[in-house]
């Protein structure tokens, strides 16, 4: 894919600072995520990677700087002065366009695999139950788990559970998906199957941000690799 520097960023992070007490966790982050691009974030533990994803997804507010999503401001704060605040409703609408896949998959244990994937579009009123089931079956097929639709999460391996979690995220049709160390909780032999699903998404035009320690995967799939160290981007 060829994209010029002037194409609008799907997510634009500008001058973001975030501290917890005296601890500066993000120390002036500038990052543009272009539509359809795969950005991989590498960096040591504690460098602020998860916090950055949480700022992008509105789970944390920056102390200074701003983030915009498709040109719409997520939050604007400059030097501690709040300039604009979005309504809860606007925040929810934006968050719905961003999928988040965590290290721990958080599937509902009492629901089948199919129900886990179909639940969110029904709960958010996007689809009727029947349509959601159809969509969920298609997505399970896409992550190679169509034959597990009736199984419960405890009957699956960690890699399979993470693939269900990815299908569940896709069910909301997000334009951007943030992955926070999606393979870190997995046994080494299960890492490949999850990376292969992410690789497949990368060729499908979704904007992806992947925090990972898998350097080989980063080299192979990323359009853009970012190293974070003590809250700063070091290229
Ligand atoms: P990474 O994902 O790169 O390992 P994090 O973004 O999770 O790093 O955390 C960066 C630093 O911020 C760590 O030192 C962590 O302890 C601290 N931190 C993260 N979240 C909070 C919080 N809610 N309250 C206080 N400190 C936090
Ligand atoms: Mg983290």
């Amino acid at each position: 894919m060829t994209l010029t520097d002037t194409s609008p960023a799907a997510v634009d992070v500008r001058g973001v600072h975030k501290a917890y007490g005296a601890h500066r966790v993000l120390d002036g982050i500038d990052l543009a995520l272009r539509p359809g691009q795969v950005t991989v974030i590498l960096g040591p533990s504690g460098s602020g990677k998860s916090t950055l994803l949480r700022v992008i997804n509105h789970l944390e507010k920056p102390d200074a700087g701003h983030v915009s999503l498709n040109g719409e401001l997520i939050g604007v704060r400059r030097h501690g002065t709040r300039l604009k605040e979005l309504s809860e409703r606007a925040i929810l609408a934006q968050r719905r366009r961003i999928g988040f896949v965590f290290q721990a998959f958080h599937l509902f244990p009492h629901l089948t695999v199919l129900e886990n994937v179909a639940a969110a579009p029904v709960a958010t009123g996007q689809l009727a139950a029947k349509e959601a089931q159809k969509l969920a079956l298609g997505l399970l097929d896409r992550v190679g788990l169509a034959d597990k639709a009736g199984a419960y999460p405890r009957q699956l391996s960690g890699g399979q559970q993470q693939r269900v979690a990815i299908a569940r995220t896709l069910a909301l049709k997000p334009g951007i998906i943030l992955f926070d160390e999606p393979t870190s909780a997995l046994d080494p032999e299960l890492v490949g199957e999850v990376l292969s699903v992410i690789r497949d998404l990368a060729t499908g035009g979704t904007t992806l941000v992947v925090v990972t320690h898998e350097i080989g995967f980063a080299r192979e799939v990323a359009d853009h690799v970012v190293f974070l160290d003590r809250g700063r981007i070091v290229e």
Side-chain angles (χ1 to χ4, degrees):
M1 182 173 302
T2 53
L3 287 162
T4 67
D5 283 339
T6 54
S7 67
V11 174
D12 200 17
V13 177
R14 285 291 145 224
V16 162
H17 291 258
K18 178 75 189 175
Y20 295 110
H23 184 185
R24 290 185 185 185
V25 175
L26 297 178
D27 199 11
I29 300 286
D30 292 304
L31 183 64
L33 311 176
R34 310 250 161 238
Q37 263 196 356
V38 180
T39 302
V40 170
I41 301 177
L42 304 173
S45 174
S47 57
K49 305 180 299 296
S50 294
T51 304
L52 177 57
L53 294 189
R54 291 163 60 80
V55 166
I56 292 173
N57 200 30
H58 287 292
L59 295 166
E60 295 283 359
K61 272 187 192 155
D63 300 326
H66 71 262
V67 180
S68 62
L69 176 62
N70 297 323
E72 278 173 44
L73 289 167
I74 283 183
V76 187
R77 287 177 142 200
R78 212 156 277 146
H79 306 302
T81 312
R82 199 180 324 189
L83 300 179
K84 183 190 170 191
E85 196 72 54
L86 289 177
S87 67
E88 261 316 290
R89 201 188 161 84
I91 288 174
L92 283 176
Q94 286 192 344
R95 196 181 282 154
R96 208 165 276 165
R97 286 146 63 189
I98 304 178
F100 209 137
V101 176
F102 302 91
Q103 181 176 323
F105 343 111
H106 303 301
L107 297 176
F108 295 117
H110 59 290
L111 298 183
T112 64
V113 162
L114 184 71
E115 289 164 346
N116 264 283
V117 178
V122 175
T124 55
Q126 291 178 15
L127 292 178
K130 230 188 179 138
E131 293 171 280
Q133 281 209 354
K134 214 167 161 190
L135 173 71
L137 272 176
L139 291 172
L140 286 173
D141 189 41
R142 184 159 172 199
V143 301
L145 291 172
D147 58 326
K148 299 288 184 193
Y152 285 87
R154 66 174 179 279
Q155 298 171 306
L156 305 185
S157 71
Q160 290 171 330
Q161 290 186 52
Q162 187 60 296
R163 283 148 66 198
V164 174
I166 293 171
R168 177 183 58 182
T169 298
L170 292 172
L172 289 170
K173 302 191 192 307
I176 300 159
I177 306 180
L178 312 177
F179 291 89
D180 196 357
E181 303 201 27
T183 61
S184 294
L186 301 177
D187 292 335
E189 71 272 19
L190 302 177
V191 168
E193 65 189 64
V194 172
L195 293 181
S196 139
V197 167
I198 299 173
R199 192 179 292 119
D200 172 55
L201 294 177
T203 57
T206 309
T207 308
L208 304 182
V209 183
V210 187
V211 172
T212 184
H213 297 290
E214 302 287 335
I215 308 259
F217 174 80
R219 278 215 193 91
E220 179 200 347
V221 173
D223 297 300
H224 188 191
V225 179
V226 169
F227 291 90
L228 210 56
D229 188 28
R230 282 169 289 180
R232 289 170 182 262
I233 289 178
V234 290
E235 299 289 339

Short mmCIF file of all heavy atoms in Angstrom, two decimals, residues 20 23 25-26 43-52 54 60 180-181 211 228, ligand 1:
data_model
loop_
_atom_site.label_atom_id
_atom_site.label_comp_id
_atom_site.label_asym_id
_atom_site.label_seq_id
_atom_site.Cartn_x
_atom_site.Cartn_y
_atom_site.Cartn_z
N TYR A 20 1.65 9.64 36.57
CA TYR A 20 0.95 9.16 37.76
C TYR A 20 1.73 9.71 38.94
O TYR A 20 2.85 9.26 39.20
CB TYR A 20 0.89 7.64 37.80
CG TYR A 20 0.08 7.04 36.67
CD1 TYR A 20 0.69 6.34 35.63
CD2 TYR A 20 -1.30 7.20 36.64
CE1 TYR A 20 -0.07 5.80 34.60
CE2 TYR A 20 -2.06 6.68 35.60
CZ TYR A 20 -1.44 5.98 34.59
OH TYR A 20 -2.18 5.46 33.57
N HIS A 23 5.56 10.35 38.70
CA HIS A 23 6.10 9.41 37.72
C HIS A 23 5.61 9.76 36.32
O HIS A 23 4.44 9.58 36.01
CB HIS A 23 5.69 7.99 38.12
CG HIS A 23 6.26 6.94 37.24
ND1 HIS A 23 5.93 5.62 37.37
CD2 HIS A 23 7.14 7.00 36.21
CE1 HIS A 23 6.59 4.92 36.45
NE2 HIS A 23 7.32 5.74 35.75
N VAL A 25 4.96 8.94 32.83
CA VAL A 25 4.83 7.68 32.10
C VAL A 25 4.89 7.92 30.59
O VAL A 25 5.50 7.16 29.85
CB VAL A 25 3.54 6.95 32.52
CG1 VAL A 25 3.33 5.70 31.69
CG2 VAL A 25 3.63 6.58 34.00
N LEU A 26 4.23 8.98 30.13
CA LEU A 26 4.34 9.39 28.72
C LEU A 26 4.89 10.81 28.72
O LEU A 26 4.33 11.70 29.37
CB LEU A 26 2.98 9.32 28.01
CG LEU A 26 2.35 7.93 27.93
CD1 LEU A 26 0.98 8.00 27.25
CD2 LEU A 26 3.26 6.94 27.20
N GLY A 43 9.28 -2.06 23.22
CA GLY A 43 9.87 -1.29 24.33
C GLY A 43 9.87 -2.11 25.59
O GLY A 43 9.06 -3.02 25.75
N PRO A 44 10.78 -1.79 26.50
CA PRO A 44 10.87 -2.57 27.74
C PRO A 44 9.62 -2.44 28.59
O PRO A 44 8.83 -1.51 28.42
CB PRO A 44 12.09 -1.98 28.45
CG PRO A 44 12.37 -0.67 27.81
CD PRO A 44 11.79 -0.72 26.44
N SER A 45 9.48 -3.36 29.51
CA SER A 45 8.37 -3.33 30.45
C SER A 45 8.42 -2.02 31.24
O SER A 45 9.49 -1.58 31.65
CB SER A 45 8.51 -4.54 31.37
OG SER A 45 7.55 -4.47 32.37
N GLY A 46 7.27 -1.38 31.40
CA GLY A 46 7.21 -0.14 32.16
C GLY A 46 7.50 1.11 31.33
O GLY A 46 7.51 2.22 31.86
N SER A 47 7.70 0.95 30.01
CA SER A 47 8.07 2.11 29.20
C SER A 47 6.87 2.96 28.78
O SER A 47 7.04 4.02 28.19
CB SER A 47 8.86 1.65 27.96
OG SER A 47 8.11 0.73 27.20
N GLY A 48 5.66 2.48 29.07
CA GLY A 48 4.47 3.29 28.79
C GLY A 48 3.62 2.79 27.63
O GLY A 48 2.67 3.45 27.22
N LYS A 49 3.91 1.59 27.13
CA LYS A 49 3.21 1.08 25.96
C LYS A 49 1.71 0.92 26.21
O LYS A 49 0.88 1.38 25.43
CB LYS A 49 3.81 -0.27 25.53
CG LYS A 49 5.30 -0.24 25.27
CD LYS A 49 5.86 -1.60 24.84
CE LYS A 49 5.70 -2.71 25.86
NZ LYS A 49 6.45 -2.49 27.12
N SER A 50 1.36 0.26 27.32
CA SER A 50 -0.07 0.05 27.61
C SER A 50 -0.76 1.39 27.88
O SER A 50 -1.91 1.59 27.47
CB SER A 50 -0.24 -0.86 28.83
OG SER A 50 0.23 -2.16 28.53
N THR A 51 -0.06 2.28 28.56
CA THR A 51 -0.66 3.59 28.85
C THR A 51 -0.96 4.32 27.54
O THR A 51 -2.03 4.93 27.39
CB THR A 51 0.29 4.42 29.74
OG1 THR A 51 0.57 3.66 30.92
CG2 THR A 51 -0.33 5.75 30.11
N LEU A 52 -0.06 4.24 26.58
CA LEU A 52 -0.29 4.89 25.29
C LEU A 52 -1.54 4.31 24.61
O LEU A 52 -2.40 5.06 24.12
CB LEU A 52 0.95 4.73 24.39
CG LEU A 52 0.84 5.28 22.98
CD1 LEU A 52 0.48 6.77 22.98
CD2 LEU A 52 2.15 5.07 22.22
N ARG A 54 -4.02 2.96 26.09
CA ARG A 54 -5.17 3.37 26.89
C ARG A 54 -5.56 4.82 26.64
O ARG A 54 -6.74 5.17 26.68
CB ARG A 54 -4.90 3.12 28.38
CG ARG A 54 -4.84 1.61 28.72
CD ARG A 54 -4.17 1.35 30.07
NE ARG A 54 -4.90 2.00 31.14
CZ ARG A 54 -6.01 1.51 31.69
NH1 ARG A 54 -6.50 0.36 31.27
NH2 ARG A 54 -6.61 2.17 32.64
N GLU A 60 -7.62 6.45 29.44
CA GLU A 60 -6.85 7.40 30.24
C GLU A 60 -6.91 8.75 29.55
O GLU A 60 -6.89 8.80 28.32
CB GLU A 60 -5.37 6.99 30.32
CG GLU A 60 -5.09 5.70 31.03
CD GLU A 60 -5.16 5.83 32.54
OE1 GLU A 60 -5.40 6.94 33.06
OE2 GLU A 60 -4.98 4.78 33.18
N ASP A 180 -2.64 -5.33 22.80
CA ASP A 180 -1.65 -5.13 23.87
C ASP A 180 -1.04 -6.48 24.26
O ASP A 180 -1.64 -7.24 25.02
CB ASP A 180 -2.29 -4.46 25.08
CG ASP A 180 -1.24 -3.90 26.04
OD1 ASP A 180 -0.03 -4.11 25.78
OD2 ASP A 180 -1.62 -3.26 27.04
N GLU A 181 0.11 -6.77 23.74
CA GLU A 181 0.83 -8.02 23.99
C GLU A 181 -0.09 -9.24 23.86
O GLU A 181 -0.24 -10.02 24.80
CB GLU A 181 1.50 -7.99 25.38
CG GLU A 181 2.45 -6.79 25.51
CD GLU A 181 3.49 -6.96 26.61
OE1 GLU A 181 3.84 -8.11 26.93
OE2 GLU A 181 3.95 -5.93 27.13
N VAL A 211 1.32 -3.95 20.25
CA VAL A 211 2.41 -3.96 21.22
C VAL A 211 2.84 -5.40 21.37
O VAL A 211 2.02 -6.28 21.65
CB VAL A 211 1.94 -3.41 22.58
CG1 VAL A 211 3.03 -3.62 23.64
CG2 VAL A 211 1.59 -1.93 22.48
N LEU A 228 9.52 2.53 22.28
CA LEU A 228 9.18 3.40 23.39
C LEU A 228 10.18 3.13 24.52
O LEU A 228 10.47 1.97 24.84
CB LEU A 228 7.76 3.06 23.86
CG LEU A 228 6.92 4.18 24.46
CD1 LEU A 228 6.82 5.35 23.51
CD2 LEU A 228 5.53 3.66 24.78
P1 LIG B 1 4.27 -1.06 29.63
O1 LIG B 1 2.97 -1.43 29.04
O2 LIG B 1 5.24 -0.49 28.63
O3 LIG B 1 4.89 -2.16 30.42
P2 LIG B 1 2.69 0.71 31.27
O4 LIG B 1 2.12 1.72 30.35
O5 LIG B 1 1.81 -0.38 31.72
O6 LIG B 1 4.05 0.13 30.65
O7 LIG B 1 3.21 1.42 32.59
C1 LIG B 1 4.20 2.42 32.57
C2 LIG B 1 4.48 2.85 33.99
O8 LIG B 1 3.34 3.49 34.52
C3 LIG B 1 4.80 1.71 34.92
O9 LIG B 1 5.84 2.10 35.77
C4 LIG B 1 3.52 1.50 35.70
O10 LIG B 1 3.79 1.02 36.97
C5 LIG B 1 2.94 2.90 35.73
N1 LIG B 1 1.46 2.88 35.75
C6 LIG B 1 0.66 2.39 34.78
N2 LIG B 1 -0.64 2.55 35.10
C7 LIG B 1 -0.65 3.16 36.31
C8 LIG B 1 -1.70 3.60 37.19
N3 LIG B 1 -3.01 3.45 36.85
N4 LIG B 1 -1.35 4.19 38.34
C9 LIG B 1 -0.05 4.35 38.67
N5 LIG B 1 0.99 3.96 37.90
C10 LIG B 1 0.69 3.37 36.73
#
